[in-house]
Amino acid sequence: MKRLIILVLFLAAMSLSLPAQAQESVAFRYGLISYDEVLTSMPEYAQMETDLAALKEQYDAEMNASAEEFNAKYEAFLNDNAGYAPSILRKRQAELEDMLRRNEAFRDEATRLLAQAKEEMLAAARAKLDAAIEEIACEYSLAFVLNTDSDAVPYMNAKTAYDITAAAKSMVCK
């Protein structure tokens, strides 16, 4: 969104600096792309989803094992607490509370690590796509390329715009 605002300001500044007769003859050519459509069609994206699913399974298995261990200890605590001294009960209760805190911390860390892994994996795919967009824009002499996802561009003049989605797909999905 920042890029779009900067681009609009740049174009406005350029139009103010042009003579009146030159403004009429200048037609900025621009490109359109569905960034998400191209990104999700890339082989790197499919591999990323597979890798993230495998990583999530590992974290889920560890969290389930920890939860089972906690549940077993908690059940034993509930069943055996009648015969123990108060100090032993407090010790076991503190152990359960500590185990619960560690399990919650691990779950939070796993969530953070999964999000970080996703961003790192997406970075390479995005860099490849961005390079392809730049190459196509240079090839077609486009002043800029707009992302049509999320209703970012409610109107486009089809006579002056080039939809480069298909070209980008063919370039990055080789």
Side-chain angles (χ1 to χ4, degrees):
M1 192 65 178
K2 285 182 183 179
R3 289 180 185 173
L4 183 61
I5 293 171
I6 291 171
L7 183 62
V8 169
L9 292 174
F10 173 74
L11 293 174
M14 284 184 58
S15 68
L16 291 176
S17 65
L18 293 174
Q21 69 246 32
Q23 284 183 7
E24 293 174 13
S25 65
V26 174
F28 291 103
R29 295 175 13 163
Y30 58 94
L32 306 171
I33 190 168
S34 173
Y35 196 91
D36 291 340
E37 180 182 333
V38 178
L39 184 66
T40 57
S41 70
M42 294 174 68
E44 292 88 342
Y45 190 86
Q47 184 62 48
M48 178 206 68
E49 286 186 327
T50 302
D51 293 347
L52 281 175
L55 187 59
K56 185 176 181 327
E57 279 182 32
Q58 291 175 3
Y59 282 127
D60 287 345
E62 183 61 28
M63 285 188 273
N64 288 339
S66 296
E68 288 175 12
E69 181 183 1
F70 174 81
N71 289 339
K73 285 190 177 190
Y74 184 67
E75 191 174 307
F77 173 77
L78 291 177
N79 292 335
D80 299 338
N81 69 2
Y84 292 115
S87 61
I88 294 173
L89 289 175
R90 282 192 300 271
K91 176 186 172 267
R92 289 192 177 185
Q93 184 177 6
E95 288 173 352
L96 287 170
E97 290 171 355
D98 182 54
M99 182 182 270
L100 185 60
R101 276 192 299 275
R102 285 184 291 152
N103 288 350
E104 289 173 354
F106 178 77
R107 185 188 67 238
D108 293 344
E109 180 71 2
T111 301
R112 185 188 69 76
L113 289 172
L114 279 170
Q116 180 182 346
K118 181 178 183 178
E119 284 305 311
E120 289 171 359
M121 291 177 189
L122 273 176
R126 284 185 176 140
K128 182 178 178 181
L129 178 54
D130 291 344
I133 292 170
E134 183 177 349
E135 186 177 327
I136 294 167
C138 289
E139 181 181 329
Y140 289 105
S141 300
L142 302 176
F144 54 90
V145 177
L146 297 173
N147 183 359
T148 58
D149 296 333
S150 304
D151 296 328
V153 184
Y155 170 76
M156 299 157 260
N157 184 343
K159 294 177 184 176
T160 59
Y162 296 99
D163 188 347
I164 65 167
T165 302
K169 271 186 184 180
S170 68
M171 187 175 282
V172 296
C173 295
K174 291 179 186 176

